[in-house]
Protein backbone atom coordinates (compact mmCIF):
# COMPACT_ATOMS: atom_id res chain seq x y z
CA UNK A 1 0.00 0.00 0.00
CA UNK A 2 2.96 2.34 0.52
CA UNK A 3 3.42 3.31 -3.19
CA UNK A 4 -0.29 4.11 -3.46
CA UNK A 5 -0.19 6.30 -0.37
CA UNK A 6 2.89 8.11 -1.65
CA UNK A 7 1.16 8.83 -4.97
CA UNK A 8 -1.96 10.06 -3.18
CA UNK A 9 0.14 12.26 -0.91
CA UNK A 10 2.17 13.83 -3.72
CA UNK A 11 -0.53 14.25 -6.38
CA UNK A 12 -3.69 14.66 -4.27
CA UNK A 13 -3.26 15.76 -0.67
CA UNK A 14 -0.33 18.14 -1.19
CA UNK A 15 -2.06 20.03 -4.08
CA UNK A 16 -5.21 20.35 -1.95
CA UNK A 17 -3.25 21.82 0.95
CA UNK A 18 -1.37 24.17 -1.37
CA UNK A 19 -4.66 25.30 -2.91
CA UNK A 20 -6.03 26.27 0.49
CA UNK A 21 -2.79 28.05 1.36
CA UNK A 22 -2.50 29.98 -1.92
CA UNK A 23 -6.11 31.18 -1.61
CA UNK A 24 -5.03 33.27 1.39
CA UNK A 25 -1.94 34.77 -0.27
CA UNK A 26 -1.21 37.41 -2.90
CA UNK A 27 0.54 34.89 -5.16
CA UNK A 28 1.03 36.37 -8.62
CA UNK A 29 2.87 35.56 -11.85
CA UNK A 30 4.21 39.12 -12.24
CA UNK A 31 5.18 42.05 -10.06
CA UNK A 32 6.50 42.13 -6.52
CA UNK A 33 4.08 39.45 -5.34
CA UNK A 34 5.66 36.92 -7.70
CA UNK A 35 9.03 37.35 -5.98
CA UNK A 36 7.74 37.62 -2.41
CA UNK A 37 4.38 35.96 -1.75
CA UNK A 38 2.67 37.15 1.43
CA UNK A 39 -0.20 35.87 3.54
CA UNK A 40 -3.13 38.30 3.14
CA UNK A 41 -5.85 36.51 5.10
CA UNK A 42 -9.36 36.94 3.73
CA UNK A 43 -8.48 39.87 1.45
CA UNK A 44 -8.98 37.82 -1.71
CA UNK A 45 -12.44 36.73 -0.58
CA UNK A 46 -13.39 40.27 0.47
CA UNK A 47 -12.37 41.59 -2.97
CA UNK A 48 -14.20 38.75 -4.63
CA UNK A 49 -17.54 39.33 -2.92
CA UNK A 50 -17.25 43.06 -3.58
CA UNK A 51 -16.72 42.46 -7.29
CA UNK A 52 -20.02 42.63 -9.26
CA UNK A 53 -18.46 40.49 -11.99
CA UNK A 54 -18.04 37.67 -9.48
CA UNK A 55 -21.71 37.84 -8.49
CA UNK A 56 -22.74 37.73 -12.14
CA UNK A 57 -20.45 34.72 -12.68
CA UNK A 58 -22.05 32.87 -9.76
CA UNK A 59 -25.51 33.53 -11.23
CA UNK A 60 -24.40 32.37 -14.69
CA UNK A 61 -22.85 29.26 -13.17
CA UNK A 62 -26.08 28.34 -11.37
CA UNK A 63 -28.17 28.95 -14.50
CA UNK A 64 -25.81 26.84 -16.58
CA UNK A 65 -25.79 24.09 -13.92
CA UNK A 66 -29.57 23.92 -13.48
CA UNK A 67 -30.53 23.91 -17.14
CA UNK A 68 -27.68 21.91 -18.68
CA UNK A 69 -27.06 19.34 -15.94
CA UNK A 70 -29.91 19.01 -13.44
CA UNK A 71 -32.74 19.55 -15.93
CA UNK A 72 -31.10 18.73 -19.26
CA UNK A 73 -28.71 15.81 -18.79
CA UNK A 74 -30.50 14.32 -15.80
CA UNK A 75 -34.01 14.38 -17.26
CA UNK A 76 -33.07 13.52 -20.85
CA UNK A 77 -30.76 10.73 -19.68
CA UNK A 78 -33.56 9.21 -17.60
CA UNK A 79 -36.07 9.47 -20.45
CA UNK A 80 -33.67 7.80 -22.89
CA UNK A 81 -32.89 5.04 -20.40
CA UNK A 82 -36.59 4.33 -19.76
CA UNK A 83 -37.44 4.30 -23.47
CA UNK A 84 -34.49 2.08 -24.35
CA UNK A 85 -35.26 -0.29 -21.48
CA UNK A 86 -38.55 -1.18 -23.16
CA UNK A 87 -37.13 -1.76 -26.65
CA UNK A 88 -35.35 -4.64 -28.34
CA UNK A 89 -31.59 -5.08 -28.33
CA UNK A 90 -31.05 -3.75 -31.87
CA UNK A 91 -32.86 -0.49 -31.10
CA UNK A 92 -30.90 -0.04 -27.86
CA UNK A 93 -27.61 -0.65 -29.66
CA UNK A 94 -28.30 1.89 -32.43
CA UNK A 95 -29.57 4.65 -30.12
CA UNK A 96 -26.86 3.90 -27.58
CA UNK A 97 -24.11 4.36 -30.17
CA UNK A 98 -25.63 7.64 -31.39
CA UNK A 99 -25.89 9.07 -27.87
CA UNK A 100 -22.46 7.81 -26.81
CA UNK A 101 -20.90 9.47 -29.86
CA UNK A 102 -21.53 12.86 -28.25
CA UNK A 103 -20.05 11.75 -24.93
CA UNK A 104 -16.77 10.41 -26.32
CA UNK A 105 -16.24 13.46 -28.55
CA UNK A 106 -13.62 15.80 -27.01
CA UNK A 107 -14.96 19.09 -25.68
CA UNK A 108 -12.94 21.17 -28.12
CA UNK A 109 -14.46 19.24 -31.03
CA UNK A 110 -17.95 19.64 -29.56
CA UNK A 111 -17.33 23.39 -29.35
CA UNK A 112 -16.39 23.59 -33.04
CA UNK A 113 -19.40 21.44 -33.99
CA UNK A 114 -21.82 23.76 -32.23
CA UNK A 115 -19.99 26.85 -33.41
CA UNK A 116 -20.67 25.65 -36.96
CA UNK A 117 -24.25 24.85 -35.98
CA UNK A 118 -25.05 28.19 -34.27
CA UNK A 119 -22.91 30.59 -36.35
CA UNK A 120 -24.51 33.28 -38.52
CA UNK A 121 -24.14 31.17 -41.66
CA UNK A 122 -24.34 27.86 -39.83
CA UNK A 123 -26.56 24.82 -40.06
CA UNK A 124 -29.37 26.11 -37.83
CA UNK A 125 -29.83 29.38 -39.74
CA UNK A 126 -29.65 27.51 -43.06
CA UNK A 127 -32.52 25.28 -41.91
CA UNK A 128 -34.53 28.28 -40.66
CA UNK A 129 -34.15 30.00 -44.03
CA UNK A 130 -36.10 27.14 -45.58
CA UNK A 131 -39.05 28.37 -43.51
CA UNK A 132 -38.34 32.02 -44.48
CA UNK A 133 -37.01 32.89 -41.01
CA UNK A 134 -34.34 35.58 -40.91
CA UNK A 135 -30.87 34.45 -39.73
CA UNK A 136 -30.21 34.90 -36.02
CA UNK A 137 -26.80 35.48 -34.44
CA UNK A 138 -27.35 32.74 -31.88
CA UNK A 139 -23.94 32.97 -30.22
CA UNK A 140 -24.45 36.71 -29.74
CA UNK A 141 -28.18 36.90 -29.02
CA UNK A 142 -28.67 33.63 -27.09
CA UNK A 143 -25.17 32.53 -26.02
CA UNK A 144 -26.26 30.79 -22.80
CA UNK A 145 -28.85 28.76 -24.69
CA UNK A 146 -26.12 27.68 -27.11
CA UNK A 147 -23.69 26.48 -24.42
CA UNK A 148 -26.49 24.77 -22.47
CA UNK A 149 -27.60 22.80 -25.54
CA UNK A 150 -23.99 21.91 -26.38
CA UNK A 151 -23.35 20.60 -22.87
CA UNK A 152 -26.58 18.60 -22.85
CA UNK A 153 -25.64 16.98 -26.17
CA UNK A 154 -22.16 16.23 -24.88
CA UNK A 155 -22.98 14.86 -21.43
CA UNK A 156 -26.39 13.17 -21.59
CA UNK A 157 -24.91 9.76 -22.42
CA UNK A 158 -23.36 9.48 -18.96
CA UNK A 159 -26.73 9.91 -17.23
CA UNK A 160 -28.29 7.48 -19.68
CA UNK A 161 -25.71 4.80 -18.84
CA UNK A 162 -26.17 5.31 -15.09
CA UNK A 163 -29.94 4.97 -15.35
CA UNK A 164 -29.76 2.00 -17.69
CA UNK A 165 -27.71 0.15 -15.10
CA UNK A 166 -30.06 1.26 -12.29
CA UNK A 167 -33.21 0.23 -14.16
CA UNK A 168 -31.75 -3.22 -14.68
CA UNK A 169 -31.55 -3.66 -10.90
CA UNK A 170 -35.23 -2.85 -10.26
CA UNK A 171 -36.92 -6.14 -9.21
CA UNK A 172 -39.37 -7.24 -11.90
CA UNK A 173 -41.61 -8.75 -9.22
CA UNK A 174 -42.35 -5.30 -7.80
CA UNK A 175 -43.20 -3.89 -11.23
CA UNK A 176 -45.43 -6.87 -12.02
CA UNK A 177 -47.24 -6.48 -8.69
CA UNK A 178 -47.84 -2.80 -9.38
CA UNK A 179 -49.15 -3.65 -12.84
CA UNK A 180 -51.56 -6.22 -11.40
CA UNK A 181 -52.79 -3.59 -8.94
CA UNK A 182 -53.73 -1.38 -11.89
CA UNK A 183 -50.79 1.02 -11.91
CA UNK A 184 -50.16 2.59 -15.32
CA UNK A 185 -46.75 3.09 -16.92
CA UNK A 186 -46.22 6.56 -15.44
CA UNK A 187 -47.44 5.47 -12.00
CA UNK A 188 -45.00 2.53 -12.01
CA UNK A 189 -42.19 4.86 -12.96
CA UNK A 190 -43.07 7.55 -10.39
CA UNK A 191 -44.13 5.39 -7.44
CA UNK A 192 -42.00 2.27 -7.90
CA UNK A 193 -38.99 2.73 -10.16
CA UNK A 194 -37.78 6.18 -9.09
CA UNK A 195 -37.93 5.44 -5.32
CA UNK A 196 -35.98 2.21 -5.88
CA UNK A 197 -33.22 3.92 -7.90
CA UNK A 198 -32.99 7.12 -5.83
CA UNK A 199 -29.46 6.15 -4.79
CA UNK A 200 -28.40 6.15 -8.44
CA UNK A 201 -30.26 9.44 -8.99
CA UNK A 202 -28.34 11.09 -6.15
CA UNK A 203 -25.01 9.67 -7.34
CA UNK A 204 -25.62 10.81 -10.91
CA UNK A 205 -26.69 14.30 -9.82
CA UNK A 206 -23.55 14.71 -7.71
CA UNK A 207 -21.26 13.53 -10.51
CA UNK A 208 -22.77 15.63 -13.30
CA UNK A 209 -22.97 18.66 -10.98
CA UNK A 210 -19.26 18.48 -10.17
CA UNK A 211 -18.42 17.88 -13.83
CA UNK A 212 -20.56 20.81 -14.98
CA UNK A 213 -19.26 23.19 -12.32
CA UNK A 214 -15.72 22.59 -13.57
CA UNK A 215 -16.56 22.82 -17.27
CA UNK A 216 -14.16 25.17 -19.02
CA UNK A 217 -13.04 24.04 -22.48
CA UNK A 218 -16.49 23.84 -24.06
CA UNK A 219 -17.63 27.32 -22.96
CA UNK A 220 -14.28 29.01 -23.52
CA UNK A 221 -13.92 27.56 -27.02
CA UNK A 222 -17.51 28.28 -28.02
CA UNK A 223 -18.06 31.79 -26.62
CA UNK A 224 -14.97 32.74 -24.62
CA UNK A 225 -17.34 33.69 -21.79
CA UNK A 226 -18.96 36.36 -23.94
CA UNK A 227 -20.35 38.30 -25.49
CA UNK A 228 -19.51 40.58 -22.58
CA UNK A 229 -19.95 38.26 -19.61
CA UNK A 230 -23.16 36.54 -20.69
CA UNK A 231 -21.57 33.07 -20.45
CA UNK A 232 -18.79 33.86 -17.98
CA UNK A 233 -19.21 31.05 -15.47
CA UNK A 234 -16.92 30.73 -12.46
CA UNK A 235 -14.28 28.59 -14.26
CA UNK A 236 -14.02 31.26 -17.00
CA UNK A 237 -13.86 34.04 -14.40
CA UNK A 238 -11.23 32.09 -12.47
CA UNK A 239 -9.15 31.64 -15.62
CA UNK A 240 -9.34 35.35 -16.41
CA UNK A 241 -8.17 36.33 -12.94
CA UNK A 242 -5.48 33.68 -12.54
CA UNK A 243 -3.94 33.43 -16.02
CA UNK A 244 -5.02 36.57 -17.89
CA UNK A 245 -4.53 38.99 -14.97
CA UNK A 246 -1.83 36.77 -13.36
CA UNK A 247 -3.45 36.85 -9.90
CA UNK A 248 -3.00 33.20 -8.93
CA UNK A 249 -3.93 33.70 -5.28
CA UNK A 250 -7.18 35.40 -6.23
CA UNK A 251 -7.93 32.71 -8.82
CA UNK A 252 -7.29 29.97 -6.26
CA UNK A 253 -9.73 31.63 -3.86
CA UNK A 254 -12.37 31.49 -6.60
CA UNK A 255 -11.72 27.76 -6.99
CA UNK A 256 -12.56 27.25 -3.31
CA UNK A 257 -15.91 28.98 -3.82
CA UNK A 258 -16.53 26.65 -6.76
CA UNK A 259 -15.69 23.70 -4.52
CA UNK A 260 -18.03 25.01 -1.81
CA UNK A 261 -20.92 25.25 -4.29
CA UNK A 262 -20.32 21.63 -5.32
CA UNK A 263 -20.29 20.46 -1.70
CA UNK A 264 -23.49 22.33 -0.84
CA UNK A 265 -25.25 21.00 -3.95
CA UNK A 266 -24.17 17.42 -3.13
CA UNK A 267 -25.48 17.70 0.45
CA UNK A 268 -28.79 19.09 -0.82
CA UNK A 269 -29.17 16.18 -3.28
CA UNK A 270 -28.45 13.56 -0.63
CA UNK A 271 -30.72 15.15 1.96
CA UNK A 272 -33.56 15.72 -0.51
CA UNK A 273 -33.49 12.16 -1.86
CA UNK A 274 -32.91 10.74 1.65
CA UNK A 275 -29.99 8.59 0.57
CA UNK A 276 -27.97 6.84 3.26
CA UNK A 277 -24.21 7.10 2.92
Amino acid sequence: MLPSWVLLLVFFFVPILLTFYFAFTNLSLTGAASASTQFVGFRNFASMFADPTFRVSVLKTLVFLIFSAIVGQQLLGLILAVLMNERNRTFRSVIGVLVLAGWVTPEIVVAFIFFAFFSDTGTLDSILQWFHVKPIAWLYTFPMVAVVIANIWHGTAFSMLVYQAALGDVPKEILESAMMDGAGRFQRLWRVTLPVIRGSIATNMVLITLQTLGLFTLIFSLTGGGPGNKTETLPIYMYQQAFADYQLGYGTAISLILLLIGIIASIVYIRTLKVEL
Side-chain angles (χ1 to χ4, degrees), residues 48-49 51-65 144 212-216 219-220 225 229-243 250-262:
M48 185 192 313
F49 288 111
D51 185 2
T53 304
F54 169 75
R55 295 193 290 270
V56 172
S57 296
V58 172
L59 178 61
K60 299 298 182 183
T61 301
L62 294 178
V63 170
F64 180 67
L65 172 65
M144 183 58 74
T212 302
L213 284 174
L215 191 70
F216 173 81
I219 300 176
F220 190 78
N229 59 357
K230 290 184 178 180
T231 57
E232 189 179 55
T233 57
L234 279 176
I236 304 295
Y237 178 68
M238 178 174 61
Y239 168 82
Q240 295 291 344
Q241 299 299 320
F243 299 108
Y250 188 77
T252 307
I254 298 171
S255 71
L256 293 186
I257 299 299
L258 200 59
L259 176 63
L260 180 62
I261 294 175

Side-chain angles (χ1 to χ4, degrees), residues 68 72-74 77 99 102-103 110 149-161 204 208 211-212 218:
S68 73
Q73 295 180 30
Q74 175 91 350
V99 177
W103 188 41
V110 174
I149 293 175
N151 192 44
I152 292 174
W153 183 86
H154 180 58
T156 296
F158 179 80
S159 296
M160 184 190 73
L161 292 175
N204 182 61
I208 63 174
Q211 185 272 334
T212 302
L218 179 61

